[in-house]
Amino acid sequence: MTRQGASSIAWDHVLASLAASDERLTHATLAKGLSEWIDAGRLPRGARLPSTRVMARKLGLGRNTVLFALSCLVENGYLDSRERSGTFIGASRQERTEERSPDQIKDGPNWERRLPFNRLLPQSAVATNSARGAISMRFGEFDLSLFPTSHWRECERTASGLGEIAKWGRDMIDGDDVGLIEQIRLHVLPQSGIWARPDEVLITVGAQEGRYLVSRVLASPGRHIGIENPCSLDLARTVQLSGAIPVGLAVDSHGVVPSKAMDECDAVFLTPGHQNPTTALLSAERRQEILRRAEFNDFIIVEDTFETEFINENRGPKALKADDTSGRVIYIGTLSRLMAPGLRIGFIVAPSAFIDHVRMLRRLVHRHPPANNQRSLAIFIERGYYRRFVKQTTRILERRGQLLMSAARRDLSDFAWRHQEGTSCFWGELPAGVDSDAVAAEAGRRGVLVEAGSHFFAVGNRSSNCLRLTVSGVKEDQIEKGVRVLADAYRSTRTSSR
């Protein structure tokens, strides 16, 4: 393609389009906008750009901002800078080719035959943060207003010092940040009544990886693994992927029910702090009974945490592992779900022999979680910011919970609600025969997002008339409206089904 001068392209139109973008124009957004034009083939290779002074004037930016944006594009091969000649669209930049649809690929492998987990794996999920304008009462939403931005930035700046980079920049092979392990031992675990040695703690990429690693070790083919019913669907799938035989364990208002089925398991996954999703708190009597049964029948207990940070702040019951005298309770925790789910920092506490085995398995996946995040979080906990965050968030979520409960009792009086102090979640049982999936779908169409309870029943008896709501990601002034819209959706669904 022959080189074209700046005058041969309608640069006024290009620059006006960039300036009219919804994003505030900065060096980053300018570079992004120009790169998109180049990738789309709308700016021919070899074409010369206007001078930076002209671009700055037409875009309403400083010349240095334009220079910075163009230098970024030069580094990435979008532009060529030629001394005394100007800046040009990169001649060596590869043009984007059209993506091929699956039916255009001929004689390829039969992927359906080669992928063994299709029946178990969920469809790819999008980020849980809701669409703009929707009121989301789904679990896992990120509320930026709760995030301790200034304190986290301070800790990240500290972790970015040369001395700190020298520590976390190296490959730790299969090790973890020693400082984070120490902070967990001194300031996190004791809140749950747990005392552990450094060799009994392993850092994971969120609690989800902890569940996966533990299940890979315990849930081998043919073994019987007890899981609560209802429970997290991801946990049920993780157990099923291992080839183990999942055994459904009944749950009532006092938590999981000790049973003969539990006694015959090789391991059981439990959420005694707050049962996920019903929020039930495992009673003191059942805690002791389950520990006795585990020792007598020689099964392992995997204690998974679900919003236990609030329990600890309210001086609630300690972890099941706190009463473990035989070393058969494996504890899975998280440090990021409440603060920022995207941070993905969790941990496992278990006997050192088990930790060594899981560490070897983790090494085959990704060696260790990102060390810079570990270092920042260690500093965050050490300076007392984590405890302060938990205290402040506990008060805010308690206030939101009171608003939701008041509105639910008024507008959704047909529901039987289950909620424990110290959790942001509410489990609602609808009248028999009401389809919670239909109610959730109708509420979503009206702009309120909730979770249908049927998705939590993976083994054993199923229930299709439950909903889960949470206040962790919804603003106080949205709660009453959200419940009111949900009530309208419920009444509409009942009317249309008659």
Side-chain angles (χ1 to χ4, degrees):
M1 182 177 292
T2 59
R3 190 174 73 187
Q4 301 181 49
S7 59
S8 63
I9 296 178
W11 281 107
D12 284 349
H13 170 67
V14 175
L15 299 178
S17 297
L18 294 172
S21 169
D22 292 336
E23 296 182 282
R24 185 173 68 89
L25 207 55
T26 64
H27 79 274
T29 54
L30 174 57
K32 177 174 177 286
L34 281 171
S35 68
E36 289 174 349
W37 276 71
I38 295 171
D39 277 336
R42 300 170 69 184
L43 297 177
R45 282 187 276 180
R48 181 181 176 183
L49 273 69
S51 70
T52 53
R53 287 189 176 84
V54 170
M55 292 181 68
R57 186 178 71 252
K58 292 184 178 294
L59 293 169
L61 296 172
R63 184 169 176 245
N64 286 341
T65 300
V66 175
L67 283 168
F68 191 10
L70 298 189
S71 69
C72 293
L73 293 174
V74 169
E75 292 294 336
N76 287 321
Y78 282 98
L79 302 177
D80 292 331
S81 179
R82 303 171 192 171
E83 191 174 357
R84 298 181 183 276
S85 297
T87 305
F88 302 82
I89 305 299
S92 60
R93 180 75 184 176
Q94 291 293 320
E95 291 184 355
R96 180 181 294 175
T97 57
E98 291 295 325
E99 295 183 1
R100 292 178 295 176
S101 62
D103 57 3
Q104 291 178 300
I105 301 175
K106 304 299 182 182
D107 301 323
N110 183 344
W111 286 111
E112 292 297 323
R113 179 175 60 84
R114 295 169 185 263
L115 302 177
F117 304 137
N118 278 345
R119 65 182 181 85
L120 295 176
L121 293 175
Q123 293 182 345
S124 296
V126 296
T128 55
N129 274 48
S130 55
R132 185 178 300 177
I135 298 175
S136 179
M137 295 183 176
R138 297 181 303 188
F139 184 74
E141 295 282 6
F142 174 51
D143 186 350
L144 182 58
S145 69
L146 298 179
F147 185 72
T149 306
S150 60
H151 289 153
W152 184 254
R153 282 175 175 168
E154 173 194 321
C155 296
E156 282 200 321
R157 282 195 298 268
T158 302
S160 298
L162 289 178
E164 297 292 348
I165 293 175
K167 297 175 186 176
W168 61 254
R170 59 189 175 85
D171 183 357
M172 295 190 290
I173 313 299
D174 56 9
D176 291 311
D177 187 287
V178 175
L180 180 56
I181 296 287
E182 195 67 6
Q183 292 306 313
I184 291 172
R185 290 180 58 243
L186 295 178
H187 301 297
V188 177
L189 293 178
Q191 297 297 315
S192 300
I194 300 173
W195 301 93
R197 300 192 310 268
D199 62 350
E200 295 176 324
V201 182
L202 180 80
I203 306 300
T204 60
V205 181
Q208 179 71 7
E209 186 192 34
R211 297 181 200 103
Y212 179 79
L213 293 174
V214 171
S215 70
R216 286 287 293 169
V217 175
L218 298 180
S220 55
R223 288 186 176 177
H224 291 73
I225 305 298
I227 57 176
E228 297 166 328
N229 190 44
C231 72
S232 161
L233 186 55
D234 282 346
L235 171 61
R237 286 180 172 132
T238 299
V239 171
Q240 291 169 330
L241 283 172
S242 68
I245 302 168
V247 178
L249 304 176
V251 172
D252 62 18
S253 59
H254 299 289
V256 67
V257 179
S259 62
K260 183 180 179 180
M262 178 184 290
D263 296 340
E264 295 173 349
C265 290
D266 295 287
V268 296
F269 282 75
L270 308 179
T271 50
H274 283 134
Q275 202 279 326
N276 181 13
T278 69
T279 80
L281 193 64
L282 189 64
S283 67
E285 294 78 12
R286 287 187 181 177
R287 288 169 178 261
Q288 295 307 313
E289 182 179 352
I290 289 172
L291 287 170
R292 285 194 300 269
R293 284 173 177 258
E295 190 164 355
F296 183 80
N297 296 291
D298 192 29
F299 62 80
I300 301 299
I301 300 171
V302 182
E303 180 178 9
D304 196 359
T305 56
F306 182 69
E307 295 199 313
T308 53
E309 302 94 335
F310 305 135
I311 290 181
N312 301 333
E313 198 56 43
N314 289 320
R315 303 186 184 280
K318 300 301 182 183
L320 198 61
K321 185 163 182 60
D323 294 326
D324 175 29
T325 58
S326 59
R328 63 178 61 253
V329 177
I330 296 169
Y331 185 86
I332 298 176
T334 177
L335 293 167
S336 58
R337 183 193 292 133
L338 174 63
M339 187 169 74
L343 189 56
R344 309 306 307 157
I345 296 288
F347 57 90
I348 301 171
V349 182
S352 58
F354 185 87
I355 290 295
D356 289 343
H357 202 78
V358 175
R359 187 186 304 278
M360 176 187 67
L361 182 61
R362 186 192 69 175
R363 176 178 175 176
L364 298 180
V365 181
H366 53 66
R367 298 167 84 87
H368 57 78
N372 58 327
N373 284 349
Q374 292 191 54
R375 186 87 288 272
S376 297
L377 189 53
I379 297 168
F380 188 80
I381 299 172
E382 182 180 29
R383 294 182 180 179
Y385 297 151
Y386 182 75
R387 283 298 308 282
R388 183 185 301 182
F389 164 77
V390 171
K391 288 180 179 179
Q392 292 175 344
T393 304
T394 298
R395 290 193 294 269
I396 293 171
L397 295 188
E398 282 178 347
R399 190 165 60 246
R400 292 181 184 178
Q402 291 166 1
L403 289 171
L404 188 144
M405 196 74 261
S406 175
R409 285 173 177 160
R410 182 187 64 239
D411 297 329
L412 294 168
S413 57
D414 287 355
F415 289 32
W417 291 102
R418 185 179 295 170
H419 171 73
Q420 293 290 336
E421 182 181 3
T423 175
S424 68
C425 293
F426 295 74
W427 182 252
E429 184 176 338
L430 289 64
V434 178
D435 185 357
S436 62
D437 289 88
V439 175
E442 180 61 27
R445 285 190 285 270
R446 296 168 182 247
V448 173
L449 308 178
V450 297
E451 294 174 279
S454 59
H455 303 303
F456 297 98
F457 292 87
V459 291
N461 295 329
R462 300 179 64 84
S463 177
S464 61
N465 66 325
C466 297
L467 290 173
R468 182 170 75 170
L469 282 64
T470 183
V471 294
S472 59
V474 62
K475 302 294 188 294
E476 288 186 22
D477 59 0
Q478 295 178 316
I479 292 174
E480 288 199 8
K481 178 183 177 182
V483 172
R484 192 164 57 249
V485 171
L486 176 59
D488 291 341
Y490 163 63
R491 286 189 289 269
S492 173
T493 303
R494 294 207 70 180
T495 301
S496 61
S497 63
R498 288 172 181 168

